[in-house]
Amino acid sequence: MGLSEEYVYDEATGEWVPAGEVSATAPADGVEVRDAVGNLLADGDAVTLIKDLKVKGTSQTLKRGTAIKSIRLTGDPQEIDCRFDGIKGLVLRAEFVKKR
């Protein structure tokens, strides 16, 4: 009765797939996201801002060198989703970050 294989939920297709199939392939949508210097980014990576960025909708500015932890890829090759204190739904352009 023991299933030894693990399954992972694929949000793109809405199906449970064997973990071996997911890790052996590229991202499900095939989009590669690269930072300002060409490093390949993945979900969970930490990045650093390479320039000061004014956050739309707030009076806050994120300063150069600010560390952003645990990013998520959005499926767009130029955008990453991340969290930062006091800012919900922060989306950054990959051209303004560098992988740590």
Side-chain angles (χ1 to χ4, degrees):
M1 267 228 157
L3 286 175
S4 62
E5 189 163 8
E6 293 184 25
Y7 287 85
V8 177
Y9 185 74
D10 183 8
E11 293 179 7
T13 63
E15 298 177 357
W16 288 92
V17 293
E21 287 181 19
V22 173
S23 62
T25 62
D29 53 8
V31 174
E32 286 187 349
V33 180
R34 296 193 179 267
D35 68 2
V37 293
N39 295 322
L40 189 61
L41 296 174
D43 285 341
D45 283 348
V47 295
T48 303
L49 296 179
I50 62 167
K51 95 179 241 186
D52 291 352
L53 298 174
K54 184 165 173 51
V55 181
K56 289 184 180 180
T58 70
S59 60
Q60 192 170 4
T61 300
L62 296 176
K63 297 292 184 184
R64 178 177 180 236
T66 300
I68 306 287
K69 299 176 185 173
S70 190
I71 65 167
R72 285 186 332 163
L73 304 181
T74 63
D76 183 323
Q78 285 299 312
E79 294 181 350
I80 56 173
D81 186 30
C82 50
R83 291 185 184 172
F84 190 74
D85 295 335
I87 304 172
K88 290 187 177 187
L90 181 62
V91 177
L92 295 174
R93 302 268 307 165
E95 64 189 288
F96 299 126
V97 299
K98 181 175 74 170
K99 188 173 181 178
R100 294 187 81 193

